[in-house]
Amino acid sequence: MSTVVMHNVVSVDGYIADEADQVGPLFDWYFNGDTELAEGRGFKVSRASAGYVRPMWDSIGSMVIGRHLFDMTNGWEGTPPAGEHVIVVSHRPKPEAWHPEASYHFTSDVAEAIAKAKELAGERTVVVAAGDVGGQVLALGLVEEVAMDVVPVVFGSGKRYFGPVDGQQLLEDPDVVIRGDRVLHLRYRVRRGRPDGSR
């Protein structure tokens, strides 16, 4: 059974981009080290970050993203940054004739997107991009772990890591805490039951 992990790089005050979708220094750590992450991709990180990121990327079978991210990246031209499958939550269909060979699936329903992603991932991890869609998945109780690559920058405002979530949600103590160069990798399990700890 696959694990559903909400993930993104984030500022210390909880933003994944500014109001204009600019990420500023959030991804600088992908280029400030001496250890190659993936052949031919240009990413060089600290050894500590590589030891965390490589196995995480290798574990991913499918990704769930929103239409906004799809449009901004043009779906990475049909080649997912990790995993083999992408499920796009959107009220609009896949663009006509867009990379028909790519394993990209479109649905307007968040729960349906997770179900499809799990089916395609098999035993591998399902990663949900943080932001609006990630927040909706978390609010539905479908996220099992939260993974954050925290960068020491304060944005002040912008696109929130947890998107529209406005209710309290308890996480367990982090079971992963890895200090890279200009990034802190954190991973939490989502606590089941009500926020007050009762079931």
Side-chain angles (χ1 to χ4, degrees):
M1 181 74 81
S2 57
T3 301
V4 179
V5 180
M6 183 174 172
H7 175 256
N8 224 80
V9 181
V10 61
S11 68
V12 294
D13 57 342
Y15 296 101
I16 56 175
D18 67 16
E19 299 287 2
D21 288 317
Q22 299 302 305
V23 296
L26 287 182
F27 291 89
D28 288 358
W29 63 273
Y30 274 108
F31 308 98
N32 69 1
D34 57 8
T35 305
E36 192 172 44
L37 256 186
E39 192 173 338
R41 304 223 3 219
F43 299 133
K44 285 198 166 183
V45 299
S46 68
R47 186 168 298 174
S49 287
Y52 169 71
V53 174
R54 273 189 195 138
M56 183 180 183
W57 283 4
D58 289 346
S59 75
I60 296 170
S62 59
M63 299 177 62
V64 176
I65 66 172
R67 184 57 181 254
H68 186 62
L69 181 56
F70 175 85
D71 287 344
M72 283 198 317
T73 62
N74 196 31
W76 303 284
E77 300 300 337
T79 303
E84 288 82 44
H85 313 282
V86 176
I87 295 78
V88 182
V89 179
S90 174
H91 293 291
R92 291 178 284 140
K94 182 192 290 190
E96 195 172 337
W98 180 89
H99 293 283
E101 78 290 351
S103 183
Y104 280 57
H105 308 267
F106 285 63
T107 176
S108 61
D109 184 86
V110 173
E112 187 178 295
I114 295 298
K116 182 67 174 178
K118 291 177 88 165
E119 174 193 326
L120 292 170
E123 296 297 313
R124 300 176 74 194
T125 301
V126 171
V127 165
V128 181
D132 285 348
V133 166
Q136 292 174 51
V137 176
L138 181 71
L140 287 174
L142 300 176
V143 171
E144 294 162 273
E145 298 183 17
V146 172
M148 310 174 91
D149 300 320
V150 183
V151 173
V153 60
V154 175
F155 275 17
S157 65
K159 307 297 175 72
R160 296 166 49 191
Y161 180 95
F162 290 103
V165 170
D166 58 6
Q168 189 179 92
Q169 175 70 64
L170 290 178
L171 308 177
E172 300 293 350
D173 289 339
D175 59 336
V176 173
V177 180
I178 296 171
R179 180 180 172 184
D181 184 358
R182 301 293 295 165
V183 64
L184 180 65
H185 306 288
L186 300 172
R187 194 154 171 160
Y188 306 84
R189 287 189 177 91
V190 176
R191 182 174 290 182
R192 295 302 176 204
R194 292 194 289 268
D196 62 4
S198 62
R199 297 280 172 191

